[in-house]
């Protein structure tokens, strides 16, 4: 039985669907469901944002989403259904960028699985965000290096110079 | 040998085709490929920050290829700048 579902959804084709995520992780065994929804907001670092474009290396992203799901299952140590979907292409304000849902017997496991999954997606998956600003300018967001050498240099990832984890 | 490298994120701007082809000496490692790519970007795409290549990873469709790995033959690779999903 499939209990991890992953997707990359081109925005021009469809919007992400929270109801579909909830339906997938629902199960008679589960009394707890945690959902994280990431949306496009109207500002970043003091600049007014009008939209975002997401670029993804899709085959590896999907493979990583599955691996993240397996990691969450091992970490939580309980029956789990997990849904991870990320948008691709050009998004407007208020559009959904990412949806993660976790269903488990109890709430603590659901919160932990959901949190682990969204943090891993943000810090490890091959996805790039380009912000578009009200003045017509655009910029690729600074992100987390996947480069082994770089990660080892900053073993306490998140405290690297200039790399806060408010993103 | 010729290696095709698909470009993502800010490095897409290094070539409008969305990929680059580099001549790589046989037996090269991923770390050496990174140096070749940084040099190529400095020379052919001065508008792109070549320093970005230094903190970029390489991958095929299955996995991240770390610096000590040999450059695989006959596979398209991807160069992955620091990621910013979610």
């Amino acid at each position: 039985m499939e209990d991890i579902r992953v997707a990359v959804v081109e925005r021009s084709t469809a919007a992400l669907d929270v109801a579909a995520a909830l339906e997938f992780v629902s199960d008679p065994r589960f009394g707890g469901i945690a959902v994280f929804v990431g949306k496009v907001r109207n500002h970043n670092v003091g600049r007014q944002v009008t939209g975002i474009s997401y670029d993804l290396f899709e085959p590896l992203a999907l493979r990583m989403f599955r691996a993240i799901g397996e990691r969450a299952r091992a970490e939580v140590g309980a029956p789990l259904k997990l849904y991870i979907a990320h948008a691709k292409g050009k998004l407007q304000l208020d559009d959904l960028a990412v949806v993660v849902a976790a269903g488990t017997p109890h709430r603590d496991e659901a919160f932990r699985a959901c949190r682990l999954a969204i943090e891993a997606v943000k810090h490890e998956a091959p996805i790039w965000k380009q912000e578009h600003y009200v003045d017509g300018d655009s910029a690729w967001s600074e992100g987390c290096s996947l480069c082994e050498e770089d990660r080892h240099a900053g073993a306490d990832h998140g405290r690297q110079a200039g790399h806060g984890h408010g993103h | 040998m010729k290696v095709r490298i698909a470009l993502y994120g800010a490095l897409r701007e290094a070539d409008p085709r969305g990929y680059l082809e580099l001549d790589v000496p046989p037996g090269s490692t991923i770390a050496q490929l990174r140096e070749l790519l940084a040099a190529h970007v400095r020379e052919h795409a001065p508008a792109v920050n070549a320093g970005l290549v230094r903190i970029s990873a390489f991958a095929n469709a299955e996995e991240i290829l770390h610096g000590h790995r040999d450059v695989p033959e006959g596979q398209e690779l991807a160069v992955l700048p620091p990621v910013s999903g979610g």
Side-chain angles (χ1 to χ4, degrees):
Chain A
M1 185 185 68
E2 187 202 23
D3 51 13
I4 297 172
R5 181 167 295 174
V6 300
V8 170
V9 181
E10 167 58 50
R11 181 61 187 93
S12 59
T13 306
L16 295 184
D17 183 349
V18 178
L22 283 170
E23 185 180 3
F24 177 75
V25 301
S26 293
D27 187 288
R29 297 169 297 162
F30 297 162
I33 292 176
V35 183
F36 176 81
V37 177
K39 295 179 78 173
V40 179
R41 66 171 179 265
N42 67 358
H43 66 278
N44 195 35
V45 200
R47 297 187 77 177
Q48 199 176 337
V49 172
T50 56
I52 282 180
S53 298
Y54 281 105
D55 189 18
L56 288 91
F57 180 29
E58 209 167 319
L60 186 61
L62 289 166
R63 197 173 277 270
M64 278 199 190
F65 290 173
R66 287 202 172 279
I68 289 164
E70 295 299 344
R71 207 190 312 162
R73 191 205 314 281
E75 180 74 24
V76 164
L80 169 72
K81 282 187 177 175
L82 188 69
Y83 180 101
I84 301 175
H86 202 292
K88 179 180 178 181
K90 196 160 174 33
L91 279 64
Q92 306 299 317
L93 292 185
D94 210 39
D95 273 351
L96 306 192
V98 60
V99 174
V100 174
T104 58
H106 309 99
R107 71 183 180 283
D108 178 58
E109 298 139 357
F111 277 124
R112 285 192 289 127
C114 187
R115 182 84 204 222
L116 183 152
I118 184 59
E119 296 299 336
V121 166
K122 287 181 78 83
H123 297 135
E124 298 171 31
I127 303 171
W128 299 273
K129 180 193 306 193
Q130 186 185 36
E131 292 176 335
H132 307 295
Y133 304 108
V134 70
D135 60 8
D137 193 15
S138 292
W140 291 96
S141 295
E142 286 182 28
C144 296
S145 176
L146 301 182
C147 192
E148 180 186 34
E149 297 81 350
D150 203 60
R151 291 204 153 203
H152 288 177
D156 56 347
H157 178 68
R159 298 194 190 177
Q160 292 169 30
H163 186 107
H165 269 183
H167 61 89
Chain B
M1 60 180 179
K2 277 217 182 299
V3 178
R4 182 185 279 213
I5 303 166
L7 304 166
Y8 287 95
L11 290 177
R12 269 192 190 274
E13 289 156 33
D15 195 298
R17 297 172 302 175
Y19 68 88
L20 287 170
E21 277 187 335
L22 293 183
D23 255 322
V24 179
S28 297
T29 64
I30 293 290
Q32 290 165 321
L33 179 66
R34 185 179 291 116
E35 294 304 318
L36 290 171
L37 181 61
H40 179 96
V41 166
R42 264 195 304 274
E43 187 176 348
H44 298 282
V48 174
N49 172 12
L52 197 55
V53 177
R54 299 203 170 279
I55 52 172
S56 293
F58 288 81
N60 57 22
E62 279 78 43
E63 60 178 340
I64 305 281
L65 301 167
H66 289 306
H68 64 277
R69 299 273 296 267
D70 289 335
V71 175
E73 270 193 67
Q75 278 186 15
E76 177 170 303
L77 301 183
V79 61
L80 315 179
V83 298
S84 53

